[in-house]
Amino acid sequence: QVTLAESGGGLVQAGGSLRLSCAASGGTLNYYTVGWFRQAPGKERELVSCIQNWDGTTRYSDSAKGRFTISGDTAKTAVFLQMNNLQPEDTAVYYCAPTCNPAPDAVWGYSYWGQGTQVTVSS
């Protein structure tokens, strides 16, 4: 089973940038969809972006489109989320998961969320 681990979060000021990494172990992501999710305190987890690794098709939430870019490495062992022009409302714990479904835990019973990586944007 492929396991994903997030990294790259941090504290930035509004307008700053971060690049998150989702590293795979135990296999490649050639035939996976990989989604970046985020969850702010007191709010539901939301899908920010996802990528279909077999063809590179990408999707973005309205808030992410134009600011964030999802991509994968050539070895298909990592997926990245380049986040530019970060705003305070982007503050959340960011997770990656092998799905583009916006609610995989509810729909598919997915329960393998990791610790995520904290992104904090100050104003």
Side-chain angles (χ1 to χ4, degrees):
Q1 182 180 355
V2 175
T3 300
L4 304 178
E6 307 92 344
S7 63
L11 173 63
V12 298
Q13 291 186 310
S17 299
L18 286 171
R19 191 189 192 210
L20 306 184
S21 296
C22 177
S25 61
T28 67
L29 302 172
N30 293 30
Y31 303 105
Y32 284 76
T33 57
V34 175
W36 279 102
F37 299 76
R38 67 186 181 189
Q39 187 168 32
K43 297 184 178 180
E44 295 183 346
R45 184 180 288 109
E46 65 171 328
L47 178 63
V48 177
S49 182
C50 69
I51 184 169
Q52 297 177 164
N53 280 293
W54 61 88
D55 63 4
T57 300
T58 58
R59 303 173 186 172
Y60 298 93
S61 67
D62 289 341
S63 64
K65 194 170 186 178
R67 299 188 298 129
F68 297 178
T69 302
I70 190 169
S71 63
D73 65 359
T74 56
K76 299 297 191 293
T77 56
V79 170
F80 309 101
L81 185 67
Q82 178 67 44
M83 305 188 296
N84 297 326
N85 193 24
L86 285 162
Q87 300 299 311
E89 53 264 37
D90 297 315
T91 295
V93 178
Y94 284 69
Y95 305 87
C96 61
T99 180
C100 289
N101 191 291
D105 46 356
V107 176
W108 304 106
Y110 183 79
S111 60
Y112 300 99
W113 303 104
Q115 296 300 307
T117 185
Q118 177 72 50
V119 171
T120 303
V121 185
S122 64
S123 59

